[in-house]
Amino acid sequence: MRWRFWMPRQGKSCVFWTRTPRGDVPALPLQVEPQATIAEIKNLFTKTHPQWYPARQSLRLDPKGKSLKDEDILQKLPVGTTATLYFRDLGAQISWVTVFLTEYAGPLFIYLLFYFRVPFLYGHKYDFTSSRHSVVHLACICHSFHYVKRLLETLFVHRFSHGTMPLRNIFKNCTYYWGFAAWMAYYINHPLYTPPTYGAQQVKLALAIFVICQLGNFSIHMALRDLRPAGSKTRKIPYPTKNPFTWLFLLVSCPNYTYEVGSWIGFAIMTQCLPVALFSLVGFTQMTIWAKGKHRSYLKEFRDYPPLRMPIVPFLL
């Protein structure tokens, strides 16, 4: 679908039209001011097309271009006296908070099912028994702590630049998180599980890595939160603070991902479990893609962005 706006030179209202199979016809009984934002235009369109609520709409200057931001002003767009906006339906949307809570609550619950060895998992004689290995209990504490932390951060720390995401993504994301949680938990809590090769020394080293990276991840999330006032979409260059865990900003653009990967590497060393190692590898691959995208965005948006920073791994990647 294509929308067209005639931009008057003397600040008069714009007439709002849309391309339909029957030709160009007025889409709204209201006029659009040149100072109108994209968000306001979306709201006007929703009045006559309720099935396309604002979060579901994507407006672009080019069919293959990037979506315009809600705060963009119509008369400041790079167009002449006639502006043509292209509409794309993003599909049913769901809030990021709901997505994160669903993603993170699942692994927490699933892991505990295997830890307590509920019936039908390992055989009748193992129902509600516990492992004799201390590392198994420590792994449960660490895994549970990680996801409880994520749930609390979702509710009280994170501020999202986009309120929603496509509903279909929640099924893909939950399959990833829930599936890997079940796979890891099955082997770590299995009656035949054997502890790490180097015993207590390996577990202590891995625990130290895990705790340090969890604290670092939380510190970065708090630093990023402080950059964006509540209800704002302001973007700023993140810099280190007095908190030593934030000093990683000197070397990478997304230290929260660096710490996240480090946490799972520590968990993999602690449990010496192949599914955990694979989960760490897959997570690192995905977070590297996200980090590179954010890094490119920083470089494009801020001319004075620190040149020594890498996306996720200092000096390498």
Side-chain angles (χ1 to χ4, degrees), residues 42-56:
K42 289 180 178 180
N43 289 327
L44 289 174
F45 188 67
T46 301
K47 290 183 178 180
T48 56
H49 300 82
Q51 72 274 24
W52 290 321
Y53 45 89
R56 189 166 179 164

Side-chain angles (χ1 to χ4, degrees), residues 235-268:
R235 286 172 56 88
K236 301 178 182 178
I237 300 176
Y239 286 104
T241 66
K242 295 181 180 180
N243 184 341
F245 288 108
T246 66
W247 294 353
L248 196 55
F249 270 125
L250 294 171
L251 301 175
V252 296
S253 295
C254 302
N256 52 322
Y257 295 152
T258 309
Y259 283 124
E260 178 78 7
V261 173
S263 294
W264 286 110
I265 290 176
F267 194 73

